[in-house]
Amino acid sequence: MSDKETTKGVESITALKAFAHPLRIRLYYALRNTKVATVSYLADAVEAPVAQVSYHLRQLHQHGFIEPAPQHARDARERWWQLSNQRLRWHASSVLDEPEAAAMATMIRNSAVSEQYRLIGEFNESAEWDTGWLDAAFMADGTIDLTHAELTEMHAELMAVVERYTALSKRQPALPGVERVMYVLHGFPVRRTTDDPA
């Protein structure tokens, strides 16, 4: 889910509406992090009633963002879900002239950032990971002076690295010691302070 998604994407007010709910964004992340899951598992993951979770999953499914995974069901009553190949995609500039769409896009981005940092906090507070994972996990930030064209190029280069490791992660079978890893990338301009000499 990104305003510059590289996979198959859709861009419309209807698609934005399908995502414009904090619980749906949490469900999307929970489902992405586990690959496939039942409604009851997802309800536990987001701490919401099963009926409420089922409704929001149906909305995501209706708009093509998730799909049933019946191959995992043990009986006809068990319902499994997985992400589809469709992602929400938009360019921030494309919604500037549509107040409703702009408000929904802002809400989606803010909710996504909240969920990203909730997961980061969950890792930071967890005692279950061994020292190898604790040392491998990283957090970095800084500021550099770029044009918007250079920032676009930087994004493309970073995503090329991500794609290389994404391809590596699809190896079959999974090697011992492999875990699901979440990455978070943000790049955006910040206002200079009044006494910045540059």
Side-chain angles (χ1 to χ4, degrees):
M1 176 173 48
S2 167
D3 59 355
K4 294 181 181 178
E5 188 68 56
T6 56
T7 55
K8 178 186 176 185
V10 294
E11 179 184 334
S12 69
I13 292 181
T14 301
L16 286 171
K17 282 181 178 178
F19 252 101
H21 192 289
L23 185 57
R24 290 181 197 172
I25 292 170
R26 287 204 64 192
L27 286 168
Y28 184 89
Y29 274 90
L31 192 51
R32 188 182 67 183
N33 291 345
T34 193
K35 282 197 174 179
V36 294
T38 62
V39 175
S40 58
Y41 174 90
L42 292 169
D44 286 341
V46 301
E47 300 178 331
V50 169
Q52 185 181 14
V53 167
S54 294
Y55 169 77
H56 288 296
L57 289 172
R58 286 196 300 272
Q59 294 301 307
L60 289 170
H61 178 230
Q62 181 181 335
H63 292 87
F65 296 111
I66 67 172
E67 60 191 17
Q71 66 274 23
H72 296 280
R74 290 168 292 191
D75 57 54
R77 295 174 302 173
E78 195 173 58
R79 194 79 185 268
W80 288 73
W81 292 98
Q82 64 188 12
L83 296 187
S84 69
N85 289 326
Q86 179 171 287
R87 302 290 182 267
L88 183 62
R89 176 180 65 200
W90 74 91
H91 288 279
S93 60
S94 69
V95 297
L96 289 178
D97 296 329
E98 300 182 58
E100 182 185 13
M104 286 186 290
T106 297
M107 177 268 155
I108 291 168
R109 284 194 299 266
N110 289 341
S111 294
V113 169
S114 294
E115 182 62 8
Q116 290 163 6
Y117 285 95
R118 187 192 69 80
L119 291 165
I120 291 170
E122 193 175 84
F123 168 77
N124 288 338
E125 295 168 8
S126 174
E128 70 174 283
W129 299 104
D130 64 32
T131 55
W133 284 108
L134 293 175
D135 290 342
F138 63 88
M139 180 176 69
D141 64 75
T143 57
I144 49 179
D145 295 337
L146 301 173
T147 66
H148 63 78
E150 289 167 338
L151 181 58
T152 299
E153 184 179 352
M154 177 181 171
H155 179 213
E157 290 182 18
L158 289 170
M159 291 311 299
V161 173
V162 169
E163 287 301 316
R164 180 159 58 88
Y165 281 93
T166 299
L168 186 65
S169 76
K170 293 177 180 176
R171 58 198 155 201
Q172 293 292 335
L175 298 176
V178 170
E179 298 284 356
R180 183 68 44 81
V181 171
M182 180 176 182
Y183 60 88
V184 179
L185 302 174
H186 293 279
F188 53 92
V190 292
R191 293 292 177 197
R192 297 176 185 270
T193 60
T194 55
D195 58 352
D196 190 332

